[in-house]
Amino acid sequence: EPEVTQTPSHQVTQMGQEVILRCVPISNHLYFYWYRQILGQKVEFLVSFYNNEISEKSEIFDDQFSVERPDGSNFTLKIRSTKLEDSAMYFCASSEAPYARETQYFGPGTRLLVL
Amino acid sequence: SQQGEEDPQALSIQEGENATMNCSYKTSINNLQWYRQNSGRGLVHLILIRSNEREKHSGRLRVTLDTSKKSSSLLITASRAADTASYFCATDAWTQGGSEKLVFGKGTKLTVNP
């Protein structure tokens, strides 16, 4: 069964450093998402992406964050200058249809630790 | 704000028993989804129920939706130790013009004791 994959599984970085989290969505999906989960808290929406542009973003997704689909398969989340509070599990998801009408399939996550 | 809120926050049962988890939300929805998360791992989609559906089954899972009460329940029958995980409901944030995000609740942590 097709699945969303994410790399790396774990990343440790120093405060102020840039990180890029990578995702390979399911191949026939057109809608891509990033969510994050701070330890012990809810899963929170960050951004959705369609047709090579951001279609929706949350208040968490400020200027320090950016997303890109550099080629036909990868979808990346960049954090330009990491802060301690960016430590979280980051999940990529993809779906065939928008507006959360259909299932969003999640990857296994990247655990980011900012020191 | 629209939220899915599960209860109980934690549930501990014996293998073979049934587990029921509930979810409440605040505003209109198009659909509600249940996900499972094993400790520190990714989110696994379990089932999606649409606002015009009242009940849905998938294997040992049974989901109900009561839009008049803005609530849903997830029943796992004949539970197994491998069902030990956190279970989340997620609703689409229905707004005019549509929204693509899922809004998750805090989850119910289920422990199934062998």
Side-chain angles (χ1 to χ4, degrees):
Chain A
E1 186 174 325
E3 56 183 21
V4 177
T5 60
Q6 291 185 243
T7 54
S9 58
H10 294 78
Q11 174 127 20
V12 181
T13 190
Q14 295 291 323
M15 191 169 57
Q17 294 296 304
E18 173 182 288
V19 295
I20 297 176
L21 310 182
R22 291 182 168 80
C23 168
V24 179
I26 293 173
S27 61
N28 63 331
H29 287 184
L30 300 175
Y31 301 87
F32 315 116
Y33 315 86
W34 284 100
Y35 290 79
R36 79 172 185 191
Q37 184 182 33
I38 294 172
L39 188 63
Q41 298 189 24
K42 294 184 182 184
V43 175
E44 301 173 291
F45 170 80
L46 292 177
V47 66
S48 59
F49 190 86
Y50 168 69
N51 200 25
N52 280 321
E53 58 184 30
I54 290 173
S55 48
E56 186 176 356
K57 61 182 180 179
S58 72
E59 59 276 7
I60 302 169
F61 194 88
D62 61 22
D63 292 345
Q64 292 300 311
F65 292 88
S66 63
V67 289
E68 194 177 33
R69 188 154 162 82
D71 53 43
S73 59
N74 290 286
F75 179 50
T76 62
L77 174 69
K78 182 193 289 186
I79 310 175
R80 287 191 185 83
S81 177
T82 50
K83 304 171 191 157
L84 296 176
E85 54 266 34
D86 293 328
S87 295
M89 181 80 101
Y90 288 81
F91 294 107
C92 173
S94 69
S95 66
E96 287 184 79
Y99 306 128
R101 290 174 196 160
E102 299 298 333
T103 299
Q104 292 186 14
Y105 293 90
F106 284 74
T110 293
R111 186 174 294 282
L112 176 66
L113 179 61
V114 181
L115 302 176
Chain B
S1 64
Q2 177 170 3
Q3 287 182 303
E5 293 291 347
E6 297 89 341
D7 81 271
Q9 290 187 345
L11 179 62
S12 182
I13 59 174
Q14 295 300 121
E15 213 166 21
E17 293 179 341
N18 295 342
T20 300
M21 289 158 272
N22 302 296
C23 168
S24 60
Y25 56 91
K26 293 183 180 177
T27 63
S28 297
I29 60 171
N30 290 308
N31 65 57
L32 184 145
Q33 306 187 42
W34 284 91
Y35 287 83
R36 184 183 81 194
Q37 184 182 35
N38 286 39
S39 181
R41 307 290 291 276
L43 294 161
V44 175
H45 183 262
L46 296 176
I47 203 162
L48 180 153
I49 186 165
R50 301 192 189 281
S51 59
N52 61 352
E53 297 175 310
R54 292 295 165 261
E55 188 171 311
K56 207 160 181 181
H57 297 254
S58 177
R60 293 184 296 113
L61 305 181
R62 173 177 167 251
V63 168
T64 63
L65 179 64
D66 186 336
T67 52
S68 65
K69 294 181 180 176
K70 292 187 169 57
S71 68
S72 173
S73 68
L74 170 67
L75 168 68
I76 303 174
T77 59
S79 64
R80 305 166 183 167
D83 295 329
T84 294
S86 291
Y87 292 82
F88 297 89
C89 69
T91 54
D92 65 320
W94 188 89
T95 58
Q96 191 172 12
S99 172
E100 295 157 17
K101 66 181 180 184
L102 291 176
V103 179
F104 283 81
K106 291 182 181 176
T108 292
K109 186 165 182 170
L110 174 66
T111 302
V112 182
N113 300 300

